[in-house]
Amino acid sequence: MSTALLRTADELHARVRHGRRAVVMTMGALHEGHATLIRSAREIAGPDGEVVVTVFVNPLQFGAGEDLDRYPRTLDADLKIAEQAGADAVFAPSAEEVYPGGQPQARVTAGPMGTLLEGASRPGHFDGVLTIVAKLLHLTRPDAALFGQKDAQQLAVIRRMVRDLNFGIEIVGVPTVREADGLALSSRNRYLSADERRTALTLSRALFAGRDRHAAQEALRARAREVPSTRARAEALSAIGESRAAADAHAVAKAVPNAAAAVRAAARTVLDEAVHYDPPLALDYLALVDPSDFTEIDDDFTGEAVLAVAARVGTTRLIDNIPLTFAAPGAAS
């Protein structure tokens, strides 16, 4: 069965529902990252459920001087990708359908988390995001809504809204999809020239450098736990070829609380080099944050974290992030 194109809320509400409904919200210009979201939605809805993809370029989340007017609009291609990925319907309303009285006076605000990082760079952005997400959740009435982890802060503020306002909808985060060279898939990648794309790869390379530093530190932490805190520790490590300078596992373990600073430093080294590229990378922010509120983590932080970066290459602004887990001292590796 072909994917239905729906233009109005009445058309959407007229559909007979069977099983669970899962929704994937997009601004169009679909790519493999969106297709992955749709396939994940299909799994959640099951063969008897329904997957709805929304396509709407929301003016509320664009600030002055941003790319609202030139944001790619490719509905015909979007329909094909949605159908191939398993969508039952694409809901692509007009601005007049979504905001019949013009831009709404009543809006959802993101609170303190909405003023940090992306919110600081794009004031009001997350208020616009939450307003349209809330409206589309009411219009589509899903059991579950899926969002990409690439927009980690967006995912966090949506989860907070749904929890704080008792929406009763499951919010599912889907891992970031990357191209073979590591660049995170984004509808804005099409703006990049060949030279700009090479510079843009710095974002993922910086994140991977931070991830690798983190992995090395966690490995040292695990080694410190495995060797007894006695003279036998140094002897045991020496026996497997470790240098004495690196053999003091106790010192290694005490250094691990500085892991957050070391992760930031590893990523920033890569980003600093890109300032001299042609074209150069203009860094907006690099942050290592707690995903529950997007505040910077301390050096003694334990638990889930997000290493996030935003930068501009030419006229294109890009974001990326990776999740990291900081183990507690003495925890299993």
Side-chain angles (χ1 to χ4, degrees):
M1 184 176 67
S2 62
T3 299
L5 174 60
L6 311 175
R7 292 289 195 172
T8 68
D10 288 342
E11 290 176 326
L12 180 60
H13 296 161
R15 292 178 65 85
V16 177
R17 293 182 58 167
H18 301 285
R20 302 188 78 199
R21 173 179 283 177
V23 66
V24 174
M25 297 184 190
T26 83
M27 292 202 300
L30 302 190
H31 49 64
E32 180 56 28
H34 297 110
T36 299
L37 285 168
I38 297 167
R39 288 192 290 268
S40 298
R42 182 78 273 161
E43 293 178 4
I44 289 173
D48 298 325
E50 183 178 49
V51 174
V52 176
V53 176
T54 69
V55 174
F56 181 68
V57 181
N58 176 37
L60 298 190
Q61 66 194 69
F62 289 81
E66 293 188 346
D67 59 344
L68 173 61
D69 291 338
R70 72 179 185 124
Y71 194 88
R73 292 160 171 82
T74 57
L75 184 57
D76 290 341
D78 294 344
L79 280 169
K80 293 178 182 178
I81 291 174
E83 184 170 6
Q84 291 169 356
D88 297 290
V90 168
F91 178 48
S94 65
E96 292 74 21
E97 177 71 17
V98 176
Y99 302 125
Q103 293 198 1
Q105 295 185 35
R107 306 189 185 195
V108 181
T109 61
M113 190 171 13
T115 66
L116 305 173
L117 301 183
E118 284 299 291
S121 298
R122 307 174 66 187
H125 169 70
F126 286 119
D127 293 352
V129 169
L130 291 187
T131 298
I132 188 58
V133 168
K135 185 144 192 172
L136 288 174
L137 288 176
H138 288 312
L139 289 171
T140 59
R141 303 170 186 173
D143 300 286
L146 292 84
F147 299 89
Q149 291 177 359
K150 174 180 169 291
D151 296 294
Q153 191 173 3
Q154 172 179 281
L155 176 60
V157 297
I158 290 170
R159 281 178 165 153
R160 186 61 184 256
M161 176 187 72
V162 167
R163 181 172 68 250
D164 286 354
L165 301 183
N166 301 101
F167 272 64
I169 295 168
E170 180 185 5
I171 302 298
V172 179
V174 178
T176 301
V177 178
R178 299 183 180 277
E179 299 193 38
D181 57 10
L183 187 67
L185 285 174
S186 170
S187 299
R188 290 185 170 93
N189 288 352
R190 67 186 66 197
Y191 297 158
L192 299 170
S193 69
D195 289 341
E196 289 172 341
R197 182 185 172 88
R198 282 191 288 272
T199 298
L201 289 173
T202 305
L203 273 71
S204 57
R205 289 198 298 108
L207 296 178
F208 297 159
R211 178 197 61 191
D212 292 346
R213 177 66 60 85
H214 171 68
Q217 290 178 318
E218 289 297 308
L220 289 174
R221 187 202 296 270
R223 182 177 299 164
R225 288 193 297 267
E226 292 168 359
V227 180
S229 183
T230 66
R231 179 181 179 81
R233 175 182 61 225
E235 295 174 353
L237 290 173
S238 295
I240 60 172
E242 297 285 355
S243 70
R244 285 299 295 267
D248 193 341
H250 182 64
V252 168
K254 290 182 74 65
V256 168
N258 296 320
V263 168
R264 292 186 185 97
R268 184 168 288 279
T269 297
V270 176
L271 293 167
D272 288 346
E273 294 174 356
V275 173
H276 306 292
Y277 291 178
D278 183 16
L281 183 82
L283 181 65
D284 188 345
Y285 62 76
L286 172 70
L288 184 55
V289 299
D290 182 337
S292 68
D293 59 11
F294 264 69
T295 58
E296 290 279 354
I297 66 171
D298 298 324
D299 281 337
D300 60 353
F301 178 86
T302 59
E304 300 299 317
V306 171
L307 181 61
V309 63
R312 190 174 295 277
V313 182
T315 61
T316 304
R317 187 174 183 277
L318 300 170
I319 63 172
D320 200 353
N321 72 84
I322 55 171
L324 299 174
T325 302
F326 289 82
S333 59

